[in-house]
Amino acid sequence: AQKVTQAQTEISVVEKEDVTLDCVYETRDTTYYLFWYKQPPSGELVFLIRRNSFDEQNEISGRYSWNFQKSTSSFNFTITASQVVDSAVYFCALIGTQGGSEKLVFGKGTKLTVNP
Amino acid sequence: DTGVSQNPRHKITKRGQNVTFRCDPISEHNRLYWYRQTLGQGPEFLTYFQNEAQLEKSRLLSDRFSAERPKGSFSTLEIQRTEQGDSAMYLCASSLFLGAHTEAFFGQGTRLTVV
């Protein structure tokens, strides 16, 4: 069975601080995909990144960066120089490719509040 | 492309009534997912379609829930004899699956309140 754990329920930072959101996953599949989504107060889930299990390169997109480490089954997300608009709930998700189930499994999310 | 569209955005119903939600996916996407999200939780998988075929249903999907995607385009989710525990945000997502998983794009959801 697939499982995603986001141990941080809520994080509060002051604008311009860097913040890292943790994600640990469990799967028996050798091929799988990891995702991060942002859910602002408006409610719509916004896709941020997809990473497959064969690609362990870290990725940077503007102020966002992701650190994928298969050895620790982690896919952490860092926001550099946080801004108030980054305030949202962030979800890490996993989809496997074996075992007959191809549903996207979400963690419980981390609520990030960036204060001015 | 206007993204994934869900209607209605909000629905208030009395316990015991039937409700139906509609999802229009991104036009070229062959996969369509339904999720349910309650306050403070991540989305929970309900069911998904590839084209018109319903390929998986969660155990969360009791016999009061039924979903269809008759022509492989839009989908409907019906809840019969609603209960207060059905109150939640119902999310629809679509993706393009061509042998590898691409990102799923979500609609804005339908918030159901059962009174």
Side-chain angles (χ1 to χ4, degrees):
Chain A
Q2 331 279 0
K3 184 178 179 182
V4 175
T5 301
Q6 294 179 255
Q8 304 149 309
T9 305
E10 294 193 40
I11 299 176
S12 182
V13 299
V14 176
E15 207 168 19
K16 298 185 183 177
E17 282 185 29
D18 298 348
V19 58
T20 295
L21 310 182
D22 297 334
C23 172
V24 173
Y25 62 91
E26 295 175 31
T27 180
R28 293 181 182 176
D29 293 350
T30 53
T31 302
Y32 52 90
Y33 297 80
L34 295 163
F35 302 81
W36 275 95
Y37 284 85
K38 173 182 180 180
Q39 189 172 42
S42 60
E44 185 171 353
L45 281 158
V46 177
F47 165 76
L48 296 178
I49 190 171
R50 175 183 72 123
R51 174 67 74 231
N52 72 50
S53 52
F54 296 109
D55 182 3
E56 286 194 74
Q57 279 192 330
N58 292 329
E59 181 158 339
I60 298 175
S61 176
R63 297 184 296 106
Y64 295 170
S65 62
W66 291 269
N67 184 330
F68 176 30
Q69 293 196 338
K70 286 179 76 170
S71 60
T72 56
S73 297
S74 64
F75 186 42
N76 296 338
F77 173 30
T78 298
I79 302 175
T80 303
S82 59
Q83 300 176 1
V84 173
V85 293
D86 296 328
S87 296
V89 181
Y90 290 85
F91 291 97
C92 181
L94 163 72
I95 189 166
T97 61
Q98 296 146 327
S101 178
E102 294 189 346
K103 60 179 180 278
L104 194 58
V105 175
F106 285 83
K108 292 190 175 183
T110 297
K111 182 178 181 181
L112 173 65
T113 302
V114 182
N115 298 299
Chain B
D1 191 346
T2 57
V4 179
S5 177
Q6 292 188 247
N7 288 288
R9 294 288 310 280
H10 303 272
K11 179 71 176 178
I12 300 175
T13 191
K14 291 183 178 179
R15 191 174 50 184
Q17 297 293 305
N18 300 344
V19 294
T20 300
F21 311 140
R22 177 179 171 125
C23 172
D24 288 273
I26 292 172
S27 57
E28 64 268 25
H29 284 182
N30 54 359
R31 284 205 170 175
L32 187 148
Y33 300 84
W34 284 100
Y35 283 80
R36 179 171 67 187
Q37 187 178 22
T38 53
L39 198 62
Q41 300 295 315
E44 294 176 301
F45 170 79
L46 293 178
T47 187
Y48 87 90
F49 294 83
Q50 178 152 320
N51 300 313
E52 65 274 11
Q54 190 173 19
L55 296 187
E56 187 175 351
K57 292 194 296 184
S58 165
R59 283 170 290 179
L60 291 174
L61 213 65
S62 76
D63 56 6
R64 296 185 297 106
F65 288 70
S66 62
E68 293 183 342
R69 193 182 184 199
K71 295 182 180 178
S73 56
F74 73 91
S75 176
T76 57
L77 177 68
E78 181 183 17
I79 308 175
Q80 296 183 328
R81 306 181 303 280
T82 52
E83 302 172 355
Q84 286 190 322
D86 297 331
S87 295
M89 177 75 86
Y90 289 83
L91 298 167
C92 176
S94 70
S95 69
L96 181 62
F97 180 79
L98 295 173
H101 286 283
T102 62
E103 53 272 22
F105 292 90
F106 283 79
Q108 291 184 301
T110 295
R111 182 168 295 284
L112 173 66
T113 302
V114 182
V115 298

